[in-house]
Amino acid sequence: MCKFAKIKAITMKRTLLFIITALFISIAIAVIAAGCSRISRNPDLLRADALTDTDPYAALRLLDSLPYDSLSEADRHFHDLVSVKAADKAYITHTSDSLILDAAAYFKSTDRQPEALYYAGRVYSDLGDYPTALRYFQDALDSLPEDTPQTDLRNRVLSQTGRLMTQLRLYSQAIPYLKQSLEISLQSGDSTHIAYAHQLLGSTYLYNKDYINSDIHFTKAQDIASHQSDSIKAYIQGFLAANALLCKDIDKARDLIYTVPEKVFRQDRDYFTATAAEIYYKSEQYDSAYYYAQQITGSRNPSYRITAYNILLKPEIRGFYTTDTAYSFFNHYLSALEQNNNRSDAESVIFQNSIYNYNLHVRESLRLSENKKHLYLLLATSLAIILALIISTYTMLRLIEGKKTQLKQALASISDLNRIIDSLKLEQSRENIPLESGTITYDDPSIKEMKREISLEILKLKQRMSLIKEVPNSAIGSEGYNIVSELLRKNRVLNDESDLWQDITTALDHTCPHFRYNLSIIAKRPLSRQEYHLVVLIRLGFSTTEISHVINRSKSATSYRRQKICNVVFSGLITPQELDLAIRLL
């Protein structure tokens, strides 16, 4: 029966482990499925995404040809992200944040989250909301650790963060980001990226008036870009010329700036044309200064027009145009100054608005964070309740199995006692003692059946014990009995550590050779030394008063120990009054 109970217990533990494992696997599958459902596998969208690196305009045309309303939710959000990405790589200025905000929210906690955050930063950079752009760049960096496999994306985030900080004139803060970008570019071995990283870092050093470091990086960029296009080489050479101008090395600046404005990319032409006009004026080549200054009078940037008119209105240049033209230049100069002033005010307003919008974003993020905390708390509570139900169910099953085992042991004890009585050919009787009060009632059919069997055994004992008057005690007069009797006569006590116990128990084993074995069969557990000593004294036929005296305990303490023997040896089915008789039967 004990072996069967152990097998049942092992089976229950395995069942509980299976339930808990299945629960967590189900949760994991649900989370993975939710993430996988956000992955687009549309071949046209994937092809458009690949095209953004080589031909962003072709990617935009392909995206425009797709039936947007017929796409799945995941495909529509991926379409939005790729659209923003392609426009950014095509140097199309972003004018709205609606697409990228939805995409960034949708791809949160997915592999595309860093990329969505990066392009959100790019969009807000174009919108002039620099604090929000920086926040998205920082969030993107947080999701792209240094050991990320997406090194190219991390490089772009670092580069754009440094570039934006340079625009905000936070030069010292921008330099560490640009240095990290340069390190990644050097590790990649891509000469174009390395040259660009050196150039961008050199520009920041230039604006920070660290002309030595700026010259170092511009020179390295020029060396690396020797095999690049004329536009790229002219672009870097123009920065070297600007650096030489600020270092007041006019001859070097003049040699470097030659043909640069004509070769650089169109979007950079005004800056280098203004630089060329300043260099030629300071090198006293006034005709060239006049030529390049005139080239930028139509610039959209008022600061370049101010540079142009400032040179054109110099006394050395006035000989190249008439007085009427001078009045026109002067009026345009005042207009450029006013426009630049208004532009500064507008930029201040935009910056203040961006700070306000950033605060709104922060508050909204905090609100969403609180909602998320509540959701996580609800989820954690639900899981805790489920686990509590599982554990409580398992505990109840364990209690049922424990009760079954206890009843099986009790039934075995009664059966063994009946066999002992039969072997002694004695008829014994005992009372049917009810279970302890407070015992849990179980409705398990197998438990009810065992209770019925135990009741039948007890009924048989009652019928046969009514004929018992006295059981002869073969231990009286034995050597062990005499040792204890002598102690009582001399009014001496016997502590648990006394060597006399060895003599007493050995003598009892000789007198009653089956006593120790029968006791071990019936007992629910091995007896302690004190418990066994008490059983030995009872078997030798001594009364509770005599036992209390010889072990030096109060009568109540001895009675309590007798009750424990009833519970341990006879599973609570024998009363203390019946204990002496039951012990002698063993």
Side-chain angles (χ1 to χ4, degrees), residues 63 96 105 151 291 296 317 324 357 370 424 487 500:
L63 291 170
S96 173
T151 53
Y291 171 78
I296 52 172
I317 308 296
D324 291 339
N357 291 334
E370 286 298 320
L424 293 173
L487 291 172
L500 290 176

Side-chain angles (χ1 to χ4, degrees), residues 39 61 78 100 153 221 236 327 364 395 426 504 544 562:
I39 299 175
R61 289 193 296 272
F78 188 48
I100 195 60
L153 179 58
I236 298 171
Y327 282 118
E364 181 67 12
T395 303
L426 295 172
I504 294 170
T544 302
R562 286 171 60 86

Side-chain angles (χ1 to χ4, degrees), residues 520-531:
S520 66
I521 290 177
I522 295 179
K524 290 165 55 176
R525 60 168 174 77
L527 300 181
S528 67
R529 183 170 57 182
Q530 292 179 344
E531 290 169 343

Side-chain angles (χ1 to χ4, degrees), residues 286-305:
Y286 301 125
D287 55 343
S288 296
Y290 173 73
Y291 171 78
Y292 284 111
Q294 270 198 316
Q295 296 295 315
I296 52 172
T297 55
S299 174
R300 293 182 179 181
N301 191 324
S303 62
Y304 295 146
R305 297 204 306 273

Side-chain angles (χ1 to χ4, degrees), residues 119-131:
Y119 282 107
R122 288 289 303 120
V123 167
Y124 281 106
S125 294
D126 283 358
L127 294 176
D129 191 347
Y130 299 142

Side-chain angles (χ1 to χ4, degrees), residues 25-26 84 285 287 295 312 448 470 534:
I25 289 176
S26 300
V84 173
Q285 294 186 7
D287 55 343
Q295 296 295 315
L312 290 172
K448 289 183 177 181
E470 184 180 356
L534 178 60

Side-chain angles (χ1 to χ4, degrees), residues 460-484:
K460 286 168 59 179
L461 287 175
K462 279 189 174 184
Q463 292 173 350
R464 299 168 67 187
M465 285 180 64
S466 60
L467 302 176
I468 286 275
K469 300 300 181 182
E470 184 180 356
V471 176
N473 192 347
S474 59
I476 295 176
S478 66
E479 183 180 351
Y481 178 85
N482 292 334
I483 292 172
V484 177

Side-chain angles (χ1 to χ4, degrees), residues 25 49 67 155 157 195 209 221 285 296 306 338 396 399 447 496:
I25 289 176
D49 185 38
N155 191 5
V157 177
K209 299 181 179 180
Q285 294 186 7
I296 52 172
I306 289 172
E338 183 178 357
M396 181 59 69
L399 287 174
I447 292 180
D496 290 322

